[in-house]
Amino acid sequence: MEKYNKTYSVNKNIKPSQILSLIWKNFLSNSKIIDLGCGQGNDSLFLVKNGFLVTAIDSSSVAINQMKVKKDELKLNNLELICDDITNFNIEKDKYQVIICRNVLNFLDKNKALEILNDFKDNIQKDSYIIIEVFTKNDPSFISNNKFVSYFDEQELLNLFSDYEIIYYLENIILDPGHFGFSSPHKHGVARIIAQK
Ligand SMILES: C[S@@+](CC[C@H](N)C(=O)[O-])C[C@H]1O[C@@H](n2cnc3c(N)ncnc32)[C@H](O)[C@@H]1O
């Protein structure tokens, strides 16, 4: 993930994602939360500052080291950092009350991504939340340059969680105003879900 190492070397922006802002107030105060493919940790840091116990994992050493600096500076004892590939990580049964995996599964081949989603479903505690964001085949890159390893079909995420309570689902083509590494406005085909076991 050399690309992300470069991006994270200079981007210091910290704020929670839109999807997290919809639900985090519903989390029980002692929730253990895992953020897989946390990037620079906007969501993780936001949750830690709000008192939750968070494990954040990413394969980018630059991203994890930046978070470590913040963790040490702010003495964030409720933040655990792991620099690793999420495919090496199994969710411990009933340990987490919230699983977050945003914009990461597209970097894996589809079978692996589905295996990971099933691991989430099998091992999260009852009543807990799973928050997922993926890019769909409506993403312009699907036709133009196949930027991601895999893409999700329309409704696929929704079908995968048909046995869960769907708290929120959005599937659309959104306008991204631009971000570090791609500063001009561009479109994305996305699916976003908050599902409760
Ligand atoms: C598009 S960013 C998303 C970051 C964050 N989840 C967010 O939505 O802001 C993708 C992140 O996934 C990480 N990543 C990609 N493949 C990974 C893998 N197999 N294991 C762990 N992290 C991975 C990258 O290093 C990068 O930080």
Side-chain angles (χ1 to χ4, degrees):
M1 285 284 126
E2 186 53 28
K3 174 187 155 203
Y4 282 102
N5 277 340
K6 277 196 195 128
T7 304
Y8 294 149
S9 303
V10 268
N11 184 6
K12 300 221 158 75
N13 185 31
I14 298 177
K15 33 180 162 104
S17 59
Q18 193 243 349
I19 194 167
L20 182 63
S21 66
L22 298 175
I23 190 71
W24 74 273
K25 286 190 179 157
N26 292 35
F27 300 163
L28 296 175
S29 58
N30 57 352
S31 288
K32 290 198 183 73
I33 300 175
I34 184 158
D35 184 3
L36 296 114
C38 59
Q40 288 176 297
N42 297 352
D43 284 345
S44 288
L45 291 167
F46 174 80
L47 290 165
V48 163
K49 284 181 182 169
N50 281 283
F52 298 101
L53 293 166
V54 179
T55 300
I57 306 182
D58 201 284
S59 55
S60 163
S61 54
V62 172
I64 292 295
N65 285 337
Q66 283 181 357
M67 287 179 77
K68 183 164 180 343
V69 169
K70 289 191 185 106
K71 175 182 158 112
D72 293 346
E73 244 173 44
L74 304 170
K75 300 196 177 19
L76 303 173
N77 297 328
N78 50 340
L79 174 62
E80 178 188 27
L81 295 172
I82 301 175
C83 186
D84 204 351
D85 193 306
I86 61 167
T87 60
N88 295 330
F89 192 84
N90 291 320
I91 300 286
E92 194 179 318
K93 193 153 189 65
D94 291 343
K95 179 166 180 183
Y96 299 102
Q97 289 75 50
V98 181
I99 294 176
I100 301 172
C101 189
R102 298 183 42 251
N103 306 321
V104 181
L105 294 173
N106 298 84
F107 292 99
L108 308 176
D109 78 48
K110 194 58 176 288
N111 285 339
K112 199 68 202 171
L114 295 176
E115 208 180 284
I116 286 180
L117 283 174
N118 282 322
D119 185 45
F120 294 171
K121 288 184 70 181
D122 288 347
N123 293 313
I124 198 165
Q125 243 182 23
K126 175 117 183 45
D127 295 326
S128 300
Y129 297 98
I130 300 183
I131 300 171
I132 310 284
E133 287 192 29
V134 292
F135 297 103
T136 65
K137 288 182 179 168
N138 290 322
D139 194 84
S141 70
F142 179 64
I143 301 169
S144 62
N145 59 4
N146 257 290
K147 165 172 136 179
F148 299 111
V149 177
S150 61
Y151 290 81
F152 282 69
D153 287 309
E154 287 181 7
Q155 306 282 300
E156 187 175 0
L157 210 47
L158 199 54
N159 291 334
L160 286 167
F161 285 93
S162 58
D163 50 343
Y164 274 51
E165 187 178 347
I166 305 304
I167 307 292
Y168 172 82
Y169 184 71
L170 170 112
E171 187 176 303
N172 214 335
I173 297 177
I174 59 159
L175 185 64
D176 185 330
H179 48 78
F180 207 86
F182 201 146
S183 56
S184 45
H186 53 281
K187 289 179 182 168
H188 277 305
V190 297
R192 297 175 176 169
I193 198 164
I194 303 174
Q196 188 174 26
K197 189 166 186 175

